[in-house]
Amino acid sequence: MEGPGITIALAPELRQFAAPARRGGRVPVVTDGAATLGHVVESFGVPLTEVGRLLVNGREVPVSYVARAGDAVDVLPVAFPQRVPGAPLRFLLDVHLGTLARRLRLLGVDTAWTTPDPGDAALAAWSAAERRVLLSRDLGLLRRRELWAGAHVGSTHPDEQVREVLDRFAPPLAPWTRCTACNGELREADKDAVSDRLEGGTSRSYDVFAECPDCGRVYWRGAHHARLERVVDEALRYVSGGSPRPADPGV
């Protein structure tokens, strides 16, 4: 049995998620009379992680609102920078965003990531257990009910992905303070204390080291440092309003 007829207008930023026929202007929709507005919006293809406000006839309503006949619904995007109350800002990335995970860790952003893929249910539960914002390109994953918070990553290019996160969440940056392998917080290391983990040439050529107490990885300013420094420089220039320069896509 058909329910009330309503109209829905998606903000331009959200139209990418909808089918082409539903991307322009105000679209008529017939509901079942029981579904929440959140479910109706998701039926358009828009994850609720991307919705900032829902307006019905100009008045803000929660996602639990049940539409009535004649309601004019406007779906607005999340306002930037997005504030995520209830926990320190930290992230969880799905298995396909490994390069982005390494870059965020390089910038000092608390970023969990693991491989092999633990599965959607485990990722959503992890997000809830540690109150981490799940970043993903998988719209189905972002619709899981047990998810604590999430955000869609639109680009497939690591440079642009980093800028998306910086724009949306404005995380505080502390470059060179996290392990890019496991996300542990780095500490200064005495050369003699880590000498057994260094090759002979490295030990002879460098004197300043850091180590990860979680996984034991040792860091120094080796030949790879210039490549990593370009990634850090690009991000810092971007947040300060400067012109970014391309970073190495493999980092």
Side-chain angles (χ1 to χ4, degrees):
M1 180 177 180
E2 292 187 347
I6 64 174
T7 60
I8 293 183
L10 301 178
E13 298 89 337
L14 300 176
R15 292 174 187 171
Q16 61 176 310
F17 300 109
R22 291 181 159 183
R23 291 177 183 172
R26 191 163 292 281
V27 179
V29 179
V30 176
T31 72
D32 64 6
T36 66
L37 195 51
H39 279 96
V40 176
V41 170
E42 285 190 321
S43 74
F44 266 56
V46 182
L48 294 182
T49 57
E50 309 310 298
V51 175
R53 294 194 300 155
L54 295 173
L55 303 182
V56 173
N57 306 321
R59 178 175 61 88
E60 186 168 358
V61 299
V63 294
S64 59
Y65 175 85
V66 177
R68 302 167 184 168
D71 278 348
V73 179
D74 289 279
V75 186
L76 305 182
V78 171
F80 291 5
Q82 182 179 353
R83 303 304 179 195
V84 185
L89 180 60
R90 50 193 179 184
F91 298 99
L92 169 63
L93 276 60
D94 73 23
V95 70
H96 303 292
L97 296 178
T99 299
L100 175 59
R102 290 190 293 273
R103 290 194 177 190
L104 290 177
R105 290 170 177 176
L106 182 63
L107 295 172
V109 179
D110 188 341
T111 305
W113 176 84
T114 190
T115 186
D117 188 356
D120 288 3
L123 283 170
W126 187 354
S127 165
E130 296 188 7
R131 294 196 170 187
R132 290 180 177 272
V133 179
L134 178 62
L135 303 181
S136 179
R137 289 180 45 76
D138 184 340
L139 299 182
L141 176 54
L142 293 175
R143 294 191 187 102
R144 294 194 71 96
R145 289 291 179 262
E146 63 270 40
L147 193 67
W148 181 69
H152 180 253
V153 177
S155 177
T156 59
H157 193 284
D159 285 348
E160 295 173 356
Q161 290 175 343
V162 170
R163 291 194 285 269
E164 284 185 48
V165 176
L166 297 180
D167 282 340
R168 179 158 177 171
F169 295 99
L173 305 184
W176 317 108
T177 62
R178 286 192 177 273
C179 176
T180 56
C182 79
N183 195 44
E185 295 186 69
L186 301 181
R187 64 187 180 192
E188 292 183 9
D190 180 78
K191 183 176 181 177
D192 291 336
V194 298
S195 61
D196 61 331
R197 285 173 272 167
L198 304 175
E199 296 182 1
T202 300
S203 184
R204 289 190 298 271
S205 302
Y206 302 97
D207 295 308
V208 179
F209 298 90
E211 68 174 334
C212 175
D214 294 342
C215 72
R217 183 168 179 171
V218 179
Y219 292 84
W220 63 93
R221 292 175 178 261
H224 61 291
H225 186 76
R227 180 165 57 95
L228 301 179
E229 199 165 41
R230 285 196 296 272
V231 176
V232 172
D233 177 67
E234 194 270 352
L236 295 178
R237 285 164 62 89
Y238 184 74
V239 298
S240 65
S243 299
R245 62 189 186 194
D248 189 321
V251 178

